[in-house]
């Protein structure tokens, strides 16, 4: 009796397996077709290092134009522009991104192409972020001189100096600031509020408590203990 049971169970399992395979193939084919139609209507933004195949012309034309990392008004910066085929909408002014204290351009690099689909995007390293500038930007840099003034007022002025050099007009911009970058963004907004359309801040504390002061003091102590190594970073 047990043999009879398995004699009809095995063919049934084979039939079910074949049916499931057909359903999976059909489902995959349909979703691929739908995905292909969707992608043809909405361009995809890809990063150069992930190109496995040659991109279609429509997709390639939608990729933002990226400039090389360069110094703008003394600050290390990266600027991206929308493609010439996609006209920048009036309601999409340039987007300025200011990262946190321990961040650099590299922290945001792979996010930028998405933001630059229909607007110019600028990210730069504030004073205290990124590597020390080369000699042609700041000759014979001395840390004590270079960091003489790191006030938020100075950072806010640097913000507008970078923008004035990066963009020809003095129109309004949208600004995103994270942590330390948020403080710089607020300092810039205070000095010229009429030039900022939208200000998006995240991770910005209302005030520094006693615990934060202890952490800050420990950072200063560590920096002082490794002064020789810090000065050798540029080399």
């Amino acid at each position: 009796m047990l043999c009879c049971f398995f004699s009809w169970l095995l063919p049934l399992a084979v039939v079910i397996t074949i049916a499931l395979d057909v359903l999976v193939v059909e489902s995959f084919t349909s979703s691929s077709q739908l995905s292909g139609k969707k992608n043809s209507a909405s361009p995809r933004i890809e990063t150069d290092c992930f190109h496995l195949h040659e991109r279609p012309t429509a997709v390639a034309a939608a990729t933002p134009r990226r400039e090389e990392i360069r110094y703008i008004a003394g600050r290390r910066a990266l600027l991206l522009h929308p493609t010439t085929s996609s006209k920048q909408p009036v309601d999409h002014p340039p987007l300025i991104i200011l990262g946190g204290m321990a961040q650099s351009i590299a922290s945001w690099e792979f996010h930028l192409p998405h933001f630059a689909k229909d607007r110019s995007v600028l990210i730069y390293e504030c004073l205290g972020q990124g590597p020390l500038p080369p000699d042609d930007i700041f000759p014979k840099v001395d840390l004590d001189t270079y960091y003489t003034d790191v006030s938020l007022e100075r950072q806010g002025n640097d913000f507008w100096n970078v923008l004035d050099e990066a963009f020809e007009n003095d129109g309004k911009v949208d600004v995103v600031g994270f942590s330390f970058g948020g403080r710089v963004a607020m300092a810039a907004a205070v000095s010229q509020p009429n030039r900022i359309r939208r200000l998006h801040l995240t991770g910005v504390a209302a005030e520094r408590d006693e615990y934060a002061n202890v952490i800050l003091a420990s950072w200063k102590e560590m920096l002082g203990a490794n002064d020789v190594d810090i000065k050798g970073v540029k080399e």
Side-chain angles (χ1 to χ4, degrees), residues 13-230:
V14 173
V15 171
I16 293 175
T17 302
I18 295 175
L20 288 176
D21 287 341
V22 171
L23 288 174
V24 169
V25 171
E26 290 181 349
S27 176
F28 177 79
T29 304
S30 300
S31 62
S32 298
Q33 292 174 347
L34 290 174
S35 176
K37 292 179 181 179
K38 182 179 179 181
N39 287 341
S40 63
S42 56
R44 293 180 294 120
I45 305 301
E46 299 182 8
T47 310
D48 290 340
C49 64
F50 292 115
H51 289 167
L52 301 180
H53 306 285
E54 184 177 356
R55 293 174 297 167
T57 304
V59 175
T63 303
R65 179 170 59 86
R66 166 187 165 144
E67 296 185 7
E68 295 298 323
I69 294 178
R70 59 189 175 95
Y71 281 82
I72 302 177
R75 304 260 50 90
R76 188 168 176 265
L78 176 61
L79 186 58
L80 287 82
H81 304 281
T83 57
T84 54
S85 60
S86 60
K87 186 177 180 182
Q88 182 165 323
V90 177
D91 62 339
H92 283 184
L95 174 66
I96 317 302
I97 298 177
L98 301 173
M101 173 59 75
Q103 293 185 326
S104 64
I105 291 174
S107 306
W108 293 81
E109 201 163 359
F110 291 102
H111 301 280
L112 301 180
H114 175 75
F115 295 139
K117 289 187 297 183
D118 52 8
R119 64 164 72 193
S120 295
V121 175
L122 170 68
I123 180 172
Y124 77 90
E125 293 166 349
C126 302
L127 183 63
Q129 294 177 314
L132 292 175
D135 289 337
D136 58 337
I137 301 298
F138 198 100
K140 298 180 179 178
V141 60
D142 175 73
L143 290 181
D144 291 334
T145 304
Y146 187 64
Y147 294 114
T148 298
D149 181 10
V150 292
S151 65
L152 284 176
E153 183 180 1
R154 157 73 187 277
Q155 299 278 18
N157 291 334
D158 284 352
F159 177 93
W160 293 116
N161 290 336
V162 170
L163 261 64
D164 290 339
E165 185 173 320
F167 303 105
E168 296 178 357
N169 57 59
D170 58 353
K172 292 188 176 183
V173 295
D174 290 344
V175 184
V176 171
F178 167 67
S179 189
F180 167 69
R183 291 182 178 274
V184 175
M186 288 191 291
V190 167
S191 62
Q192 298 193 49
N194 59 311
R195 293 182 62 182
I196 294 182
R197 186 188 71 149
R198 290 179 178 173
L199 185 63
H200 181 89
L201 307 176
T202 179
V204 183
E207 60 182 358
R208 183 185 298 140
D209 57 17
E210 290 302 320
Y211 180 67
N213 287 331
V214 171
I215 295 177
L216 183 60
S218 67
W219 286 358
K220 292 180 178 179
E221 184 178 352
M222 286 187 292
L223 289 172
N226 296 280
D227 188 54
V228 175
D229 295 335
I230 295 172

